[in-house]
Amino acid sequence: QTTVKTLLILGASGDLTGRLLLPGLARLVATGGAPGLKLVGAGSDPWTPEEWRDRVRSAFADAGTSGTAGAEALAAVEKDTVYHQLDVTADGPLAALLAELEGPVAVYFALPPHVSQKACEVLHPGQVPDGTRLVMEKPFGSGEESARELNRTLLTLVPEDHIHRVDHFLGKATVLNILGLRFANNFLEPVWNREHVARVEIIFDEDLALEGRARYYDGAGALRDMIQSHLLQIMALMAIEPPATIGERDLRDAIAAVLRASSIKAPYETSTRRARYTAGNIKGRQVPDYVNEEGVDSGRNTETLAEVRVDIDNWRWKGVPFILRSGKALGDQRKVAVVTFRPVPHLPKGFTGVDIPNQLRIGFGPDTLELDVDVNGPGDIFSLDRTTLNAQLNASDLLPYGEVLEGVLTGDPLLSVRGDTAEDCWRIVEPVLKAWSRDAVPLEEYDAGSSGPDRWSESSAE
Ligand code: BG6
């Protein structure tokens, strides 16, 4: 794979570019990960070259890279960057720009999904130079059929391994740690199955509320925003069969296989749950009812918390509940994958004390690893005590978007979602979206700042 010479960001004046892409790029450039890269911004705003350069400069400055050895590389990208005012949905201008740029070019669609889709539709196959990579943000389509349609369009332009469907959770070092933890430690893999695991929970409870994102979020909701994408990817890494290599083909084949075996089963009243926050106080910050947040249409019944039970119907996992949950405006952040093991088959008589099952917890922020073990503790030596082995994991220097961009620029799609998997993730959640839109599952409420509805592991839903 040849390294990309030019990164063209469409939607350069947008929020994603300023908040996530440019800081990610700064970390990558500062660590020497993008030598000689030319950055080109394009957007609908009539920015002067100076305005764009200022934006790049301030995003780079905020990325925590100042004073590092990479200052020169950052300055070079800033100095050479250019901006084009462009209507990407019009037939012609984007193609003309692509023809002008030094290739290979990576085109990053940092745009709302319907605009990205339109921008791809107006490109014609012959107008996309060989070697071009197309980088698509989530959500990829709005359902299985539209994802398939978008895949079809993209494949007329470039081959599959030149399409990067971004899920920035695959750029989180701790998420990728699941692979090392599972496949480099012989004590884990033999118990990583239905014989020994009672349930797996993947929880991403955030203390952020809507934060002014109604335009996007109110049409999405927690199930589409977090579970359809990020949490299914984490679940897949927790559940995959050991791949022969950590190469894009082997790893992504393994991910595809496990997701193909996954589904959320009816009745959805028992396998899913949805809720929405009402006014409350999150750590001293007053938040209004979700429906009173600016830009929210209460008629949409958008959920701000979703919890689903996924079943993986294969030899290893049959019958083990994978509980995926994510909510906004909660009092405590909890970002963790929890594996709960089954109890020992027989606890020798004479032991007293702990009878809670062991858990392994992989924290995604802060990045931690915790394993509960029961030992003969102090005092009565046959009274068991629970102790927790824990480790703080070092975060990577590259932000998740830095990792994602590294794959894009070096032409390695390993950390991007493959086309068939993008469709499959919709296939898994679509029946639930339909049931919810028929109101087949009640929309619960929880106070902002509370811990939300009880998690299933704490209630009776198993
Ligand atoms: C985004 C979602 O993809 O991921 C947000 O749209 C969510 O709603 C965010 O807050 C969480 O990611 P991170 O990297 O901030 O933990």
Side-chain angles (χ1 to χ4, degrees), residues 20 138 168-169 172 204 206 208 213 216-217 225-226 229-230 328 335 364 400-401:
L20 296 165
K138 76 157 236 276
H168 79 281
F169 272 45
K172 288 188 187 237
F204 211 85
E206 299 182 284
L208 293 175
R213 296 171 73 212
Y216 154 70
Y217 191 88
D225 182 47
M226 292 298 295
S229 50
H230 308 319
K328 293 218 179 273
K335 301 176 178 178
F364 302 118
Y401 270 90

Short mmCIF file of all heavy atoms in Angstrom, two decimals, residues 20 138 168-169 172 204 206 208 213 216-217 225-226 229-230 328 335 364 400-401, ligand 1:
data_model
loop_
_atom_site.label_atom_id
_atom_site.label_comp_id
_atom_site.label_asym_id
_atom_site.label_seq_id
_atom_site.Cartn_x
_atom_site.Cartn_y
_atom_site.Cartn_z
N LEU A 20 -12.11 16.81 16.63
CA LEU A 20 -11.51 15.47 16.68
C LEU A 20 -10.46 15.19 15.60
O LEU A 20 -9.41 14.64 15.89
CB LEU A 20 -12.63 14.41 16.59
CG LEU A 20 -13.61 14.42 17.77
CD1 LEU A 20 -14.86 13.63 17.46
CD2 LEU A 20 -12.95 13.89 19.03
N LYS A 138 -19.30 7.59 10.76
CA LYS A 138 -20.56 6.97 11.18
C LYS A 138 -21.64 8.04 11.33
O LYS A 138 -21.26 9.19 11.58
CB LYS A 138 -20.36 6.21 12.49
CG LYS A 138 -20.27 7.11 13.74
CD LYS A 138 -20.62 6.36 14.98
CE LYS A 138 -21.72 6.96 15.76
NZ LYS A 138 -21.42 8.01 16.69
N HIS A 168 -14.34 5.22 15.59
CA HIS A 168 -13.13 5.65 16.31
C HIS A 168 -12.87 4.81 17.56
O HIS A 168 -11.78 4.86 18.12
CB HIS A 168 -13.16 7.15 16.62
CG HIS A 168 -14.02 7.51 17.80
ND1 HIS A 168 -15.38 7.61 17.74
CD2 HIS A 168 -13.69 7.81 19.09
CE1 HIS A 168 -15.86 7.94 18.92
NE2 HIS A 168 -14.86 8.07 19.77
N PHE A 169 -13.86 3.99 17.98
CA PHE A 169 -13.58 3.10 19.12
C PHE A 169 -12.52 2.06 18.75
O PHE A 169 -11.82 1.56 19.60
CB PHE A 169 -14.87 2.41 19.60
CG PHE A 169 -15.61 3.23 20.62
CD1 PHE A 169 -15.80 4.59 20.44
CD2 PHE A 169 -16.10 2.66 21.79
CE1 PHE A 169 -16.49 5.36 21.37
CE2 PHE A 169 -16.78 3.42 22.74
CZ PHE A 169 -16.97 4.77 22.53
N LYS A 172 -9.24 3.23 19.82
CA LYS A 172 -8.95 3.39 21.25
C LYS A 172 -8.01 2.26 21.68
O LYS A 172 -8.33 1.07 21.49
CB LYS A 172 -10.24 3.31 22.08
CG LYS A 172 -11.12 4.53 21.93
CD LYS A 172 -12.28 4.48 22.92
CE LYS A 172 -13.25 5.60 22.65
NZ LYS A 172 -13.50 6.46 23.77
N PHE A 204 -21.40 1.79 28.45
CA PHE A 204 -20.79 3.08 28.16
C PHE A 204 -21.74 4.16 28.63
O PHE A 204 -22.50 4.74 27.87
CB PHE A 204 -20.48 3.20 26.66
CG PHE A 204 -19.28 4.05 26.37
CD1 PHE A 204 -18.01 3.51 26.39
CD2 PHE A 204 -19.42 5.40 26.12
CE1 PHE A 204 -16.89 4.30 26.16
CE2 PHE A 204 -18.31 6.19 25.87
CZ PHE A 204 -17.04 5.65 25.89
N GLU A 206 -22.36 7.76 30.04
CA GLU A 206 -21.63 9.03 29.97
C GLU A 206 -22.28 10.08 30.86
O GLU A 206 -23.51 10.08 31.03
CB GLU A 206 -21.65 9.57 28.54
CG GLU A 206 -20.99 8.66 27.53
CD GLU A 206 -21.01 9.27 26.13
OE1 GLU A 206 -22.07 9.25 25.49
OE2 GLU A 206 -19.97 9.77 25.70
N LEU A 208 -21.98 13.17 29.95
CA LEU A 208 -22.33 14.23 28.98
C LEU A 208 -23.81 14.11 28.65
O LEU A 208 -24.33 13.00 28.57
CB LEU A 208 -21.54 14.04 27.68
CG LEU A 208 -20.03 14.25 27.76
CD1 LEU A 208 -19.39 13.91 26.42
CD2 LEU A 208 -19.74 15.70 28.15
N ARG A 213 -26.02 18.96 20.50
CA ARG A 213 -25.93 18.14 19.28
C ARG A 213 -27.29 17.67 18.75
O ARG A 213 -27.38 16.63 18.09
CB ARG A 213 -25.05 16.92 19.54
CG ARG A 213 -23.62 17.25 19.86
CD ARG A 213 -22.89 16.01 20.33
NE ARG A 213 -22.62 15.06 19.26
CZ ARG A 213 -22.57 13.73 19.43
NH1 ARG A 213 -22.84 13.20 20.59
NH2 ARG A 213 -22.29 12.95 18.42
N TYR A 216 -28.01 16.34 15.12
CA TYR A 216 -27.65 14.96 14.80
C TYR A 216 -28.35 13.97 15.74
O TYR A 216 -29.03 13.04 15.31
CB TYR A 216 -26.13 14.79 14.87
CG TYR A 216 -25.71 13.37 15.18
CD1 TYR A 216 -25.88 12.36 14.23
CD2 TYR A 216 -25.21 13.02 16.44
CE1 TYR A 216 -25.55 11.04 14.52
CE2 TYR A 216 -24.88 11.70 16.73
CZ TYR A 216 -25.06 10.72 15.77
OH TYR A 216 -24.73 9.42 16.07
N TYR A 217 -28.21 14.22 17.04
CA TYR A 217 -28.56 13.17 18.01
C TYR A 217 -30.06 12.90 18.08
O TYR A 217 -30.48 11.76 18.25
CB TYR A 217 -28.03 13.56 19.41
CG TYR A 217 -28.11 12.42 20.40
CD1 TYR A 217 -27.05 11.51 20.50
CD2 TYR A 217 -29.22 12.24 21.20
CE1 TYR A 217 -27.12 10.45 21.40
CE2 TYR A 217 -29.29 11.17 22.10
CZ TYR A 217 -28.24 10.29 22.19
OH TYR A 217 -28.30 9.24 23.07
N ASP A 225 -26.62 5.70 17.88
CA ASP A 225 -25.41 6.48 18.11
C ASP A 225 -24.28 5.63 18.69
O ASP A 225 -23.13 5.78 18.31
CB ASP A 225 -25.72 7.64 19.06
CG ASP A 225 -24.52 8.54 19.32
OD1 ASP A 225 -23.84 8.91 18.34
OD2 ASP A 225 -24.23 8.85 20.49
N MET A 226 -24.61 4.76 19.63
CA MET A 226 -23.55 4.04 20.35
C MET A 226 -23.57 2.53 20.14
O MET A 226 -22.52 1.91 20.00
CB MET A 226 -23.69 4.31 21.86
CG MET A 226 -23.40 5.73 22.27
SD MET A 226 -21.70 6.26 21.91
CE MET A 226 -20.77 5.18 22.99
N SER A 229 -22.99 0.95 16.43
CA SER A 229 -21.61 1.09 15.95
C SER A 229 -20.63 0.62 17.03
O SER A 229 -20.23 -0.54 17.07
CB SER A 229 -21.35 2.55 15.59
OG SER A 229 -21.77 3.41 16.66
N HIS A 230 -20.27 1.54 17.93
CA HIS A 230 -19.15 1.29 18.85
C HIS A 230 -19.29 0.03 19.71
O HIS A 230 -18.36 -0.75 19.83
CB HIS A 230 -18.98 2.49 19.79
CG HIS A 230 -18.88 3.80 19.10
ND1 HIS A 230 -18.15 3.99 17.95
CD2 HIS A 230 -19.40 5.03 19.40
CE1 HIS A 230 -18.24 5.26 17.58
NE2 HIS A 230 -19.00 5.91 18.44
N LYS A 328 -26.80 8.69 28.22
CA LYS A 328 -26.24 10.03 28.40
C LYS A 328 -26.80 10.64 29.67
O LYS A 328 -27.80 10.19 30.21
CB LYS A 328 -26.60 10.90 27.20
CG LYS A 328 -25.92 10.46 25.92
CD LYS A 328 -25.48 11.65 25.09
CE LYS A 328 -24.77 11.24 23.82
NZ LYS A 328 -23.34 11.03 23.97
N LYS A 335 -17.51 3.22 31.91
CA LYS A 335 -17.18 2.80 30.56
C LYS A 335 -16.35 1.53 30.69
O LYS A 335 -15.15 1.59 30.95
CB LYS A 335 -16.39 3.90 29.86
CG LYS A 335 -17.17 5.22 29.80
CD LYS A 335 -16.38 6.34 29.20
CE LYS A 335 -17.24 7.59 29.14
NZ LYS A 335 -16.52 8.75 28.62
N PHE A 364 -12.62 1.40 29.89
CA PHE A 364 -12.27 2.16 28.67
C PHE A 364 -12.06 3.64 28.97
O PHE A 364 -12.15 4.47 28.08
CB PHE A 364 -13.37 2.01 27.62
CG PHE A 364 -13.63 0.59 27.26
CD1 PHE A 364 -14.85 0.00 27.49
CD2 PHE A 364 -12.62 -0.19 26.70
CE1 PHE A 364 -15.08 -1.32 27.16
CE2 PHE A 364 -12.83 -1.51 26.37
CZ PHE A 364 -14.07 -2.08 26.62
N PRO A 400 -7.58 8.45 19.58
CA PRO A 400 -8.25 7.49 18.70
C PRO A 400 -8.28 7.96 17.24
O PRO A 400 -8.04 7.18 16.32
CB PRO A 400 -9.66 7.39 19.28
CG PRO A 400 -9.47 7.68 20.73
CD PRO A 400 -8.35 8.67 20.82
N TYR A 401 -8.55 9.24 17.04
CA TYR A 401 -8.59 9.73 15.64
C TYR A 401 -7.20 9.74 15.01
O TYR A 401 -7.06 9.64 13.79
CB TYR A 401 -9.28 11.09 15.54
CG TYR A 401 -10.76 10.91 15.32
CD1 TYR A 401 -11.63 10.84 16.39
CD2 TYR A 401 -11.28 10.76 14.03
CE1 TYR A 401 -13.00 10.62 16.20
CE2 TYR A 401 -12.63 10.55 13.83
CZ TYR A 401 -13.49 10.48 14.90
OH TYR A 401 -14.83 10.26 14.69
C1 BG6 B 1 -19.51 9.39 19.45
C2 BG6 B 1 -20.95 9.58 19.79
O1 BG6 B 1 -19.38 8.60 18.30
O2 BG6 B 1 -18.84 8.78 20.54
C3 BG6 B 1 -21.09 10.42 21.05
O3 BG6 B 1 -21.62 10.21 18.71
C4 BG6 B 1 -20.28 9.83 22.18
O4 BG6 B 1 -22.44 10.55 21.41
C5 BG6 B 1 -18.86 9.55 21.73
O5 BG6 B 1 -20.28 10.74 23.27
C6 BG6 B 1 -18.05 8.80 22.78
O6 BG6 B 1 -16.73 8.67 22.33
P1 BG6 B 1 -15.50 9.16 23.21
O7 BG6 B 1 -14.31 8.91 22.35
O8 BG6 B 1 -15.75 10.59 23.53
O9 BG6 B 1 -15.52 8.28 24.42
#
